[in-house]
Amino acid sequence: MRITVLPRRQQVEIAGRRRAADVLRELGFLPGTAMVIRGDELVPESAMLEADDDIEVRSVISGGAP
Amino acid sequence: MKCTRCKAPAQVQLRAHNANFCRDCFLFIFQRQVERAIEKERMFRRDEPVLVAVSGGKDSLALWEVLHGLGYQTTGLHLSLGIGSYSDVSTEKTAAFAAANGLPLITVRLAEAGMAVPEVAGLTRRPACSACGTMKRHYFDQLAIDRGFPVVATGHNLDDEAARLLGNVLHWQLPYLARQKPVLEPTHPRFVRKVKPLFRVSEYETAIYAFLKRIDYVVDECPNAVGATQLVYKEMLNRLEAASPGSKLTFVQDFLSRAQPVLPAATGDGPPQTCAQCGMPAFGEICGYCRLMRETEQKRERRAASGAA
Ligand SMILES: [Zn+2]
Ligand SMILES: [Zn+2]
């Protein structure tokens, strides 16, 4: 599957199918710190992602001046 | 995986609440949490005009959308900070959201007034986030007072509050701890009430809310935030949350209900003086903002003079 990681704009390829939660772990995200998006749908962490999916992983953490 | 509320297929998993929700139930629960926070903490009433500080990020736009949806009278206040393309995109997205929802928006462009955050920070050698914070606070207060808003709402979420709490505890900042509340009453006639209606919802929840509502927010990070201490605290708290879901909410909630009442009360007295330059409250002859602006002007003139010589 092809994964775009935002906001870093990083492109990653992962072979085979995986659970969304496992993809997040492989990319180094802690649970609850990024959304997994397929097309224009939010994918729950327990859902299975297919080998030919186009996925966006979008960090939810913002920081800086309070 | 089924929705905890209606048994439809669930789309959102919230470990902290040990619950799963479908789209509609998640949106409903999120809005209800915000509404309850506003009512329980007596943040504002439906007949009070609310000035919403909007950056163009997920939290402030989600906040504005929810307040508008709940029937509150809102006006957006956006400060275009002059931080390169990040600020341009933020300003565009904020304006597009206001226009699409028919909401009034006040935009202040710092760069046009010669006060872009990078220039002020560079000339005065202050950390960008500190200069930025001083400028934001000044404009929020001054515009609220000048335009007759009794209250300013900001998009601070649970993660922001937990990170700030951790920082304040690590350094035992007792005066800051005493003032870390979801509602801050004004300490001066020229200050207004400051409220944080999202203080109980995590940034995961606000991001999902914004996404499910198709709010076009700025996904990019402020370039100045890279390496900010607050992000280190957030990372630590997210590790704790992964091992023990609900930790962040408990940390903040128990602080507010159990620790804050026994802290020495925040001194009720605000700044004792009035700024000779802008008329806002000040601890000295001029306020912190005007001091920053004066310093920026002086450095700029000195630089121009040495450049000309
Ligand atoms: Zn449901
Ligand atoms: Zn002043």
Side-chain angles (χ1 to χ4, degrees):
Chain A
M1 66 189 79
R2 288 164 301 281
I3 302 169
T4 306
V5 185
L6 294 181
R8 332 178 196 140
R9 297 196 172 85
Q10 180 192 7
Q11 305 281 342
V12 185
E13 283 269 354
I14 293 182
R17 55 203 302 269
R18 289 276 202 297
R19 266 188 210 290
D22 296 329
V23 168
L24 288 178
R25 195 173 320 119
E26 283 179 45
L27 293 171
F29 284 96
L30 287 161
T33 63
M35 293 188 283
V36 178
I37 298 160
R38 178 169 48 197
D40 58 0
E41 286 290 310
L42 181 74
V43 181
E45 290 187 2
S46 62
M48 198 56 105
L49 305 176
E50 302 301 330
D52 58 353
D53 278 344
D54 268 307
I55 301 294
E56 177 186 321
V57 170
R58 191 190 294 182
S59 168
V60 304
I61 297 176
S62 46
Chain B
M1 191 177 75
K2 285 183 177 164
C3 174
T4 307
R5 193 162 165 264
C6 77
K7 307 298 171 208
Q11 219 180 348
V12 183
Q13 281 164 278
L14 297 182
R15 284 195 189 79
H17 299 277
N18 193 21
N20 306 313
F21 295 111
C22 67
R23 178 183 187 276
D24 289 351
C25 289
F26 174 79
L27 297 177
F28 172 79
I29 296 280
F30 185 92
Q31 289 161 352
R32 200 178 60 179
Q33 280 196 82
V34 178
E35 189 174 28
R36 281 186 177 168
I38 294 166
E39 288 173 0
K40 190 165 166 273
E41 305 293 333
R42 297 166 192 258
M43 293 185 176
F44 41 81
R45 302 184 312 262
R46 279 196 164 68
D47 61 349
E48 284 181 302
V50 182
L51 190 61
V52 186
V54 197
S55 68
K58 65 187 193 311
D59 302 300
S60 55
L61 286 180
L63 171 64
W64 201 7
E65 202 275 348
V66 172
L67 295 185
H68 175 55
L70 290 171
Y72 290 101
Q73 301 171 40
T74 57
T75 296
L77 168 56
H78 174 74
L79 297 189
S80 195
L81 304 169
I83 307 175
S85 64
Y86 167 76
S87 287
D88 294 340
V89 174
S90 306
T91 304
E92 271 166 38
K93 290 201 190 286
T94 304
F97 177 87
N101 292 279
L103 289 164
L105 171 67
I106 302 166
T107 300
V108 178
R109 293 171 191 275
L110 296 184
E112 282 173 13
M115 302 177 303
V117 168
E119 206 196 350
V120 171
L123 286 168
T124 62
R125 291 172 184 268
R126 294 196 204 189
C129 294
S130 141
C132 190
T134 300
M135 291 160 87
K136 279 181 183 165
R137 280 190 297 276
H138 173 79
Y139 277 101
F140 294 167
D141 281 318
Q142 193 169 43
L143 274 153
I145 279 287
D146 288 353
R147 310 239 181 161
F149 292 91
V151 54
V152 172
T154 56
H156 293 98
N157 57 46
L158 175 64
D159 296 70
D160 296 325
E161 292 307 297
R164 177 188 297 217
L165 178 56
L166 181 58
N168 284 341
V169 164
L170 285 174
H171 299 100
W172 294 115
Q173 297 278 16
L174 293 182
Y176 290 168
L177 285 166
R179 285 177 59 77
Q180 192 180 339
K181 299 174 179 183
V183 180
L184 262 189
E185 292 298 336
T187 54
H188 188 284
R190 282 187 67 81
F191 279 156
V192 301
R193 197 183 322 138
K194 308 274 177 56
V195 299
K196 301 168 183 173
L198 303 183
F199 82 104
R200 295 195 60 217
V201 292
S202 66
E203 55 189 353
Y204 187 55
E205 290 165 85
T206 60
I208 288 174
Y209 184 86
F211 179 80
L212 292 178
K213 279 282 186 173
R214 306 281 182 236
I215 296 172
D216 184 18
Y217 65 87
V218 187
V219 176
D220 280 329
E221 257 312 295
C222 175
N224 292 331
V226 177
T229 316
Q230 193 205 20
L231 291 178
V232 179
Y233 295 157
K234 282 188 172 181
E235 161 99 15
M236 298 311 293
L237 289 160
N238 282 327
R239 286 191 185 284
L240 194 59
E241 183 76 20
S244 173
S247 299
K248 284 186 284 201
L249 188 56
T250 308
F251 183 41
V252 170
Q253 254 175 349
D254 286 2
F255 162 70
L256 292 173
S257 67
R258 296 164 65 180
Q260 208 175 48
V262 300
L263 284 170
T267 44
D269 314 322
Q273 285 167 271
T274 298
C275 175
Q277 216 154 315
C278 73
M280 291 301 285
F283 282 100
E285 182 225 338
I286 59 170
C287 73
Y289 167 80
C290 289
R291 212 177 312 125
L292 183 67
M293 291 305 105
R294 188 181 278 182
E295 205 183 314
T296 304
E297 275 309 315
Q298 286 168 348
K299 294 275 167 63
R300 194 180 282 150
E301 278 163 22
R302 216 170 293 162
R303 182 182 282 188
S306 67

